[in-house]
């Protein structure tokens, strides 16, 4: 038998050398652990970080609520200001009923989607601040 056959045969030869697999860098865990401890113990640094996150979330929520209220209240005001729009008929349905009955739902879904994306972005920024 040749050396090549011995190394490839299961009964004889050398075993393949084991390789170490590293899933994460150990040096990164110390600062993260220190920051997590600061958050858990509610130190001044942890309070500032959490306050930043809460303010960013509140700012987004108020902005989206303002857009929703402005958008929904502007539709009746539009029909009040321009009464001639109330006479328009589309597919047998008057325009005010169509706009007030259909348009708000996609608008609210868009606002909700936009808010969830903003909230995820704020949380991602918060985690990046912690990991530094």
């Amino acid at each position: 038998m040749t050396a090549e056959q011995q190394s490839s045969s299961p009964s004889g030869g050398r075993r393949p050398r084991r390789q170490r697999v590293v899933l994460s860098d150990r040096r990164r865990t110390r600062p993260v652990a220190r920051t997590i401890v600061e958050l858990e113990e509610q130190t001044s640094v942890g309070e500032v970080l959490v306050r930043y996150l809460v303010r960013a979330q509140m700012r987004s929520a108020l902005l989206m609520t303002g857009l929703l209220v402005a958008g929904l209240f502007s539709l009746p005001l539009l029909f009040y200001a321009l009464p001639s729009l109330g006479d328009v008929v589309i597919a047998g349905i008057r325009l005010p009923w169509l706009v007030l009955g259909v348009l708000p739902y996609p608008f609210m879904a868009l606002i909700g989607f936009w808010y969830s994306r903003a909230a995820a972005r704020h949380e991602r920024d918060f985690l990046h601040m912690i990991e530094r």
Side-chain angles (χ1 to χ4, degrees), residues 42-77:
Q42 297 180 352
T43 63
S44 60
V45 173
E47 286 179 19
V48 169
L49 291 173
V50 171
R51 191 177 303 134
Y52 170 78
L53 175 64
V54 170
R55 282 185 182 171
Q57 296 286 27
M58 181 62 80
R59 195 176 319 116
S60 291
L62 291 175
L63 176 69
M64 300 303 165
T65 302
L67 285 173
L68 184 67
V69 168
L72 292 180
F73 282 130
S74 67
L75 292 175
L77 292 176

Side-chain angles (χ1 to χ4, degrees), residues 53 56-57 60-61 64 112-126:
L53 175 64
Q57 296 286 27
S60 291
M64 300 303 165
F113 176 74
W114 193 13
Y115 175 74
S116 67
R117 296 273 311 247
R121 187 182 69 242
H122 293 309
E123 290 173 4
R124 199 170 40 248
D125 292 345
F126 178 74

Side-chain angles (χ1 to χ4, degrees), residues 1 7 26 51 56 89 107 117 123 131:
M1 259 180 144
S7 66
R26 290 185 183 192
R51 191 177 303 134
V89 176
F107 180 65
R117 296 273 311 247
E123 290 173 4
E131 290 176 354

Side-chain angles (χ1 to χ4, degrees), residues 73-88:
F73 282 130
S74 67
L75 292 175
L77 292 176
L78 175 72
F79 290 117
Y80 180 75
L82 299 171
S84 62
L85 287 177
D87 298 332
V88 176

